[in-house]
Each structure stands twice: as structure tokens, then as C-alpha cells.
Amino acid sequence: AQNRRVQLLMRESGGGKSKLGFDLGTQYASVLFIRLTKGKDVPGLTRPFDEWVTKVASWDWGDISRDRRVSQTKCAIALLLVLISCYADFGSAALAVIRGMYNPDLPKRRELLLRLFLSGQCEDAVQGEFSRRAGLIRRGEIAVNPWTMVVSSLRTLRSVCGDMDLILFFDGVQGLV
């Protein structure tokens, strides 16, 4: 049986959400920490999410039929899943390299995964991979099953982490609003 739990935590800026994600990742589970915004002192979206928004916004959303709007919304969500898979695959590849050099224990792997994504050093690689994969999803056309892609990527990450628990933590979601 699968355990599907989704929790949403919303608080004002400075309310401790990012710290909670870091604490979870150092004490309880591996955390794929996905930053949508650059930070509270630097306005704007991170490069990968800016590219996602730009691609979706470039589609014609004007006077279109309800069916076309539904189709494009599905494509936007599919493109988001492709982006999440890029984050997971980058984490898997980076941890595999680290484990090839030395095999840190589980708490250290969790910490390395967190620091990798919190540092922002992943953005160029994630954006590059997203640019390559984004062609699989076009306005109204989905050439790949995005659910299969993201689930496969997350399972690989969980395996490389060596952890049964993996948390997706999206920080700065308010940047999309």
C-alpha cells in the first residue's frame, strides 16, 4: 500500500518555514528542497522556475475554448512535473558522485542533499536539463507521461539517498502568485 500524505504549511515571511525544512532534512528524512524564489532579500523566481513561468505564459491563454484551456492547464502541470524530475535527477547524480568518492552515513547524505539545493548551485544544471526536457511538453501536446518521469526520478533519489522517507519541500511558493 502506498502512503500518500501531503501537508501544506503557509506562514508569513520570516515565520520559520525554511528552517522547518532544514530541520526535517537533518533529523528525520531526506528533503528535496526546491526553491521557487531567490530569497527574501532578492526578489524574483529562481532561474528554473522563471523559465517554467515564461514557457507557460508564452502559450496563448486569451480567447480560447474551455477544452483548449483544460488541455493547456494539463500541459502546464506536466511541465512542472518535468521540472521537479530535473531537480530530483540532479540530486541523484550529485549524491552518486559523492558516494563514489566516500560513502557518508545517512545523516550526512541528508545534510549534503539539503546544502546542495539550499546553496542555489544546482540552478544552472537544473535549468539546463529542464530546457532539454521541456520540448517533451508543448502547448496542448504531451509526448511523455510526466507522472512516470517524476515518480521514477524521485524513487531513484530516494534509493541513492538510502532513505525510506523523502520529502519534497517547496520554498517560496508565494512567488508564483
Side-chain angles (χ1 to χ4, degrees), residues 31-32 85-104 108-126 129 133 153 156-162:
V31 172
L32 179 56
S85 75
C86 293
Y87 276 94
D89 289 343
F90 178 80
S92 296
L95 281 178
V97 168
I98 290 168
R99 288 184 78 176
M101 293 187 289
Y102 79 105
N103 197 12
K108 188 64 175 176
R109 286 193 303 268
R110 287 176 175 169
E111 180 185 344
L112 289 169
L113 183 65
L114 271 173
R115 294 195 183 283
L116 179 68
F117 286 99
L118 285 171
S119 70
Q121 294 174 341
C122 65
E123 288 184 19
D124 288 337
V126 169
E129 185 60 24
R133 293 183 190 179
S153 296
T156 301
L157 177 60
R158 190 175 74 187
S159 174
V160 171
C161 289

Side-chain angles (χ1 to χ4, degrees), residues 45-155:
L45 296 171
T46 58
R47 288 184 302 278
F49 276 91
D50 186 56
E51 184 172 341
W52 176 73
V53 167
T54 300
K55 285 185 184 313
V56 172
S58 73
W59 299 342
D60 178 19
W61 290 92
D63 189 21
I64 59 175
S65 70
R66 180 184 182 286
D67 289 344
R68 183 69 174 176
R69 185 168 304 277
V70 168
S71 174
Q72 286 185 191
T73 301
K74 287 179 182 178
C75 288
I77 293 167
L79 199 57
L80 179 60
L81 292 172
V82 168
L83 178 54
I84 294 168
S85 75
C86 293
Y87 276 94
D89 289 343
F90 178 80
S92 296
L95 281 178
V97 168
I98 290 168
R99 288 184 78 176
M101 293 187 289
Y102 79 105
N103 197 12
D105 62 6
L106 180 58
K108 188 64 175 176
R109 286 193 303 268
R110 287 176 175 169
E111 180 185 344
L112 289 169
L113 183 65
L114 271 173
R115 294 195 183 283
L116 179 68
F117 286 99
L118 285 171
S119 70
Q121 294 174 341
C122 65
E123 288 184 19
D124 288 337
V126 169
Q127 182 184 11
E129 185 60 24
F130 178 63
S131 293
R132 283 186 287 283
R133 293 183 190 179
L136 299 170
I137 312 290
R138 292 191 177 91
R139 182 187 68 199
E141 300 173 20
I142 302 175
V144 65
N145 184 332
W147 289 107
T148 302
M149 180 183 284
V150 77
V151 167
S152 174
S153 296
L154 293 171
R155 283 185 177 150

